[in-house]
Every structure is written in C-alpha cells, then in structure tokens.
Amino acid sequence: MNSKRIGVSFLLTILIEFFYVFGISIFFAVTESGELGIVENLILAQMLNVVPLFLVVLIGRRKDRSEKIFSDVLGFRRIKISTALMTVLYTILISPLSTLANAISMIFVDNAVNEIAGDVLDVPFVVMFLIMAVFGPFCEELVFRGAFFRGFRKSGNIFGAIVMSAVLFAIMHMNFNQAAYAVLLGIMMALAAEATGSTVTSFIIHLIFNGQSVCLLYLSDKLAPDILMEEMEMSYSSSEMALIIAFYLLLAVVCTSIAFCVLTWMASNEGKQNFLRTVWASRKNRGEKMWSVCLIIAVSLALIYMIAMEILKAVL
C-alpha cells in the first residue's frame, strides 16, 4: 500500500458513499417504500470503507506479494498483555480531549450522535454494541490506522502519516461535529499504533470509546429516560458553553500530558525507546509525497458535501 493507492481507495469510498446516499434516497422516493433501518445503514457504511480498500490492496498485491496483508499491510500484530492494560488507561486519559473538541464543535454545528440516538435505542443493546463498538471500530482501524497510516508511513515521515491518516478518518464521518473530535482521536490512536507497532492497540482504544458511548446511552435510557430526552434537546447559553469548554480544556491539558507519559511507557514496553523523539524528528524526512490527485479530489468532494449539508440544515 502506498500514497497513490490510498488516494484511489479513499476516492472510491467517497464516490460510492455519494452514490449510496443519493441513489438510495431517490429509490425510496420513487418506490415510496420504507427506508433502511439504522442497523443496515451502519453495516453498509463500514462496507463502504472496507470494500474499496481491499479491492485496491488485492490489485496491488499482484505486483508485490512480499507483504503479508494482515500483519504488514494492516498492522495487526500481537502486543503484550501489560501494554493492552495500559492502553485502557491511555484511553481514559485522552477522553477529555475528545469531549473538549465535541463541545467546541457544538458551538457551530449540531451533535450528530444525538440525532440518531432515538434510532439506536430502538435496537436491542447487544446488537447495537456489536455493530458500533466491535464491528465498526474493527473496520475503521483496518482502514485508517492499518492500511492508510502504514501506507503513508512508508514516506519516512511518521509525523505526517499520523496527521494524514487522522484527517482522512475525520473526513470519513462526513459531518463537522464528529470530524472535530475524530481528527484528535485519530492522531492519538495513530500515535498508540506507532508506539506499540500494532493496530490492535488503536482497535482497543476505539472499542472502548464507542463501547462506553453505547453503554451510557442505553443505561441513561433505562434509568432516567426523561433526563436523557432533556439532555438531547437541551441548548446551552454562551456563558454555559464557555464554562464547559474551560473545564474540559483544563482537564484535557492535565490528562493528555499524563497520557503522553503512558504512551512513552507503552512504547518502551514494546521495545521502542525514544519513540516520541523519533516521530517528531521524522517530519523533516522528504520521501514519497502523501498527497495525490485522487486524494485531493476525494477530500474536496467530501468537504463540499459537508458544507452543503450544514447549509441545508440552516435553510430548512
């Protein structure tokens, strides 16, 4: 996997996403039949990420069979149990950073997760947990911290590979609310994957993030459904949002600083000393270009779509 193949894969994903969104809308409008349920939509959304990637990987594999797909291309390698346990602590410590980004984004755009909360709660907990906390993170880690990050990493610029894979991960969500915290989480998950040399680490982080969100949503609906509905419909004043952001900013600074210490320990535990210094120094490396024509087209189309959706929401 290289930068050009990543560009082709991401462009295919965006084009198929457009075809799916507009095609399915026209189909249901013409046939006047019911829409797809949230379970089907979530599964199809992940297939849109994975299928183009594997098509590109398999085509490229005809030319280069030296790499093992699961371990070399996708980066799924074994890690120590102690590293896995510290990954849980690392995930807890970077949570305030995600909440901070979400809070800031809500000043400008709606909370995308709240918009589908009602549909999520209509599905049994076990089904939704498996889809949103296991299947979804596994597919996304295959693509973004697996093939994309490792593909960009071949340029020699590890720092750039971390940022680029995080940006594509954010854009993939196709809305500015999720993109705001996805880009930060993408960076922190790619750092963890680099520190341990394994995509298993970022999968654990992703599973915990999505899993706790699903659990809290169902638990809140079970114990205090009225409060949950009020929170989803609640709008905060400017002063309230400022206080929330200030609190999470302070918490994020403290917790993220500790998270980097944990990250350094994880790297040393997996035999990668001076990890952060190596990542930072790599930004000066100038190997293969990460941007390609296909990638620029894909990112441009996705951003145009995201902006258009926000304008439509404002108008309607």
Side-chain angles (χ1 to χ4, degrees), residues 40-314:
E40 293 84 356
N41 270 313
L42 289 173
I43 292 174
L44 281 171
Q46 295 305 330
M47 290 297 98
L48 293 180
N49 287 322
V50 173
V51 172
L53 171 68
F54 274 96
L55 287 175
V56 173
V57 168
L58 290 174
I59 291 171
R61 189 158 175 76
R62 293 178 181 176
K63 300 178 180 179
D64 183 10
R65 295 180 178 273
S66 62
E67 291 184 322
K68 296 178 181 178
I69 292 178
F70 204 67
S71 59
D72 296 331
V73 178
L74 303 178
F76 277 85
R77 301 188 179 103
R78 292 173 61 182
I79 59 173
K80 296 177 181 178
I81 295 176
S82 54
T83 301
L85 292 174
M86 289 300 282
T87 300
V88 177
L89 175 59
Y90 177 76
T91 306
I92 295 170
L93 289 169
I94 63 175
S95 294
L97 185 65
S98 168
T99 306
L100 173 65
N102 185 38
I104 293 174
S105 72
M106 287 171 61
I107 297 174
F108 308 100
V109 294
D110 295 330
N111 188 314
V113 176
N114 280 351
E115 294 177 358
I116 64 168
D119 294 330
V120 170
L121 291 170
D122 288 337
V123 180
F125 167 75
V126 174
V127 175
M128 195 52 64
F129 185 87
L130 288 174
I131 293 173
M132 294 186 70
V134 181
F135 179 70
F138 180 72
C139 290
E140 290 175 8
E141 293 312 306
L142 279 179
V143 177
F144 294 97
R145 256 66 59 186
F148 284 12
F149 168 60
R150 293 187 176 277
F152 285 134
R153 193 183 184 282
K154 290 180 179 179
S155 68
N157 186 347
I158 305 172
F159 180 86
I162 289 170
V163 174
M164 282 290 291
S165 61
V167 168
L168 297 188
F169 177 59
I171 290 173
M172 177 273 299
H173 288 82
M174 302 295 276
N175 68 79
F176 286 108
N177 170 244
Q178 288 179 292
Y181 56 84
V183 69
L184 294 178
L185 286 179
I187 289 172
M188 300 307 287
M189 288 192 289
L191 279 168
E194 174 63 22
T196 61
S198 176
T199 312
V200 171
T201 313
S202 58
F203 170 66
I204 293 172
I205 298 169
H206 206 154
L207 185 152
I208 294 172
F209 261 104
N210 285 21
Q212 62 90 20
S213 296
V214 174
C215 290
L216 285 176
L217 181 61
Y218 278 86
L219 191 62
S220 299
D221 182 60
K222 191 73 173 178
L223 300 179
D226 294 335
I227 295 176
L228 176 63
M229 290 301 297
E230 289 178 6
E231 286 183 352
M232 287 193 294
E233 297 173 359
M234 186 182 297
S235 59
Y236 297 97
S237 65
S238 299
S239 57
E240 289 173 331
M241 284 302 297
L243 285 173
I244 292 171
I245 290 172
F247 171 75
Y248 277 105
L249 176 61
L250 178 61
L251 191 62
V253 169
V254 174
C255 289
T256 305
S257 299
I258 300 173
F260 274 102
C261 296
V262 173
L263 190 65
T264 302
W265 184 93
M266 289 162 58
S268 298
N269 195 44
E270 294 293 331
K272 299 187 72 172
Q273 285 74 20
N274 299 320
F275 149 71
L276 289 175
R277 187 180 302 173
T278 301
V279 171
W280 181 248
S282 72
R283 74 192 192 281
K284 297 178 181 179
N285 294 340
R286 293 290 181 268
E288 179 186 342
K289 290 183 179 179
M290 296 186 193
W291 286 100
S292 63
V293 174
C294 286
L295 193 59
I296 292 172
I297 293 172
V299 170
S300 300
L301 289 174
L303 289 175
I304 291 170
Y305 173 83
M306 291 161 67
I307 294 170
M309 289 298 102
E310 290 303 324
I311 293 173
L312 281 176
K313 286 180 184 178

Side-chain angles (χ1 to χ4, degrees), residues 7-23 48-49 52 174 294 297-302 305:
V8 172
S9 176
F10 196 64
L11 178 58
L12 283 174
T13 297
I14 297 301
L15 291 176
I16 296 172
E17 173 80 15
F18 286 167
F19 177 79
Y20 167 70
V21 170
F22 296 115
L48 293 180
N49 287 322
M174 302 295 276
C294 286
I297 293 172
V299 170
S300 300
L301 289 174
Y305 173 83

